[in-house]
Amino acid sequence: MPQQRKIYGGELYSKENIVAYTGDLHDNPTVYFVQYGEDGQKTYGHITQDHYYDKFNIGREDIKTNATYKLVNEWSEDEGLVSREYVNGKCFHESRSEHKLVGPNDEEVREILAKAIDHHPGIKKMNMGDYVSEQLDLIDEENDLEEQLGRLADLYDEVDQITAQMKEAYPKSAEDLEEVKDNLRERIEEQYDIIHEEFVEQQQNQKSRFNGMHQPMNASDKPQRSLHTKVSAKQDKNNSKNNQIKQRRMTL
């Protein structure tokens, strides 16, 4: 089953708000969006379509608003001409190449770039708290309890994969990232336990309706073993830790 995503930031991430792109126009360019407010504020973000850290840095950047936002090309001694984004005079994001502006009459270019909007509807997975919340909501909408258990086990594994990449990219934040991962996994475990209880009850009810017929009860064993084995392998956590997710946002 293809991974489901919810549309994030649809008001900003629209064709009319495309202002620039970096990379090859015909090979997964990064697309930049800006929405200008009447009060002088600028709401901005970009969609990354190709990146070395594919597990966490592909998709829609979390949206921010600031009147001082600037997108400029500047010279770098190491990389040559590169695109940089500034807020309050400080660079918070540097691309690997220069950007090309998209003017009001560049309709053909805009149409090509707008494909990124449909291809990448969701927020980047580096925003792990938002991503896990999104996925838990989507899983909750699934009617098949066994399917929910399998998807929860997959999400549990994915959080570990995302964290591993982020720790490689941000080694100084490794301890904080590990704490975020543990809290998110606890949240997934809680949802798993609730659904598993419902699934067992459902199976028992079905068995009682067909008294005398042998009903295999091992359909959920695989996702159950998969998750519970990983849970038992975790180190004991401090009992004082609560279940609130500490939102951590990392920006390249």
Side-chain angles (χ1 to χ4, degrees), residues 184-200:
L184 290 174
R185 278 185 151 191
E186 285 179 4
R187 189 174 173 190
I188 297 168
E189 290 165 21
E190 290 173 0
Q191 185 70 7
Y192 185 96
D193 289 340
I194 292 171
I195 299 303
H196 186 257
E197 286 183 12
E198 292 181 14
F199 181 78
V200 170

Side-chain angles (χ1 to χ4, degrees), residues 2 13 111 119 129 139 168 208:
Y13 290 112
E111 286 292 337
H119 291 166
I139 290 171
E168 180 183 344
S208 65

Side-chain angles (χ1 to χ4, degrees), residues 37 49 52 64 69 83 127 131 149 160 182 197 205 245:
Q49 300 191 86
Y52 175 78
K64 297 183 177 66
Y69 172 79
S83 178
N127 302 281
Y131 174 64
L149 292 174
D160 187 59
D182 286 346
E197 286 183 12
N205 289 339
I245 305 302

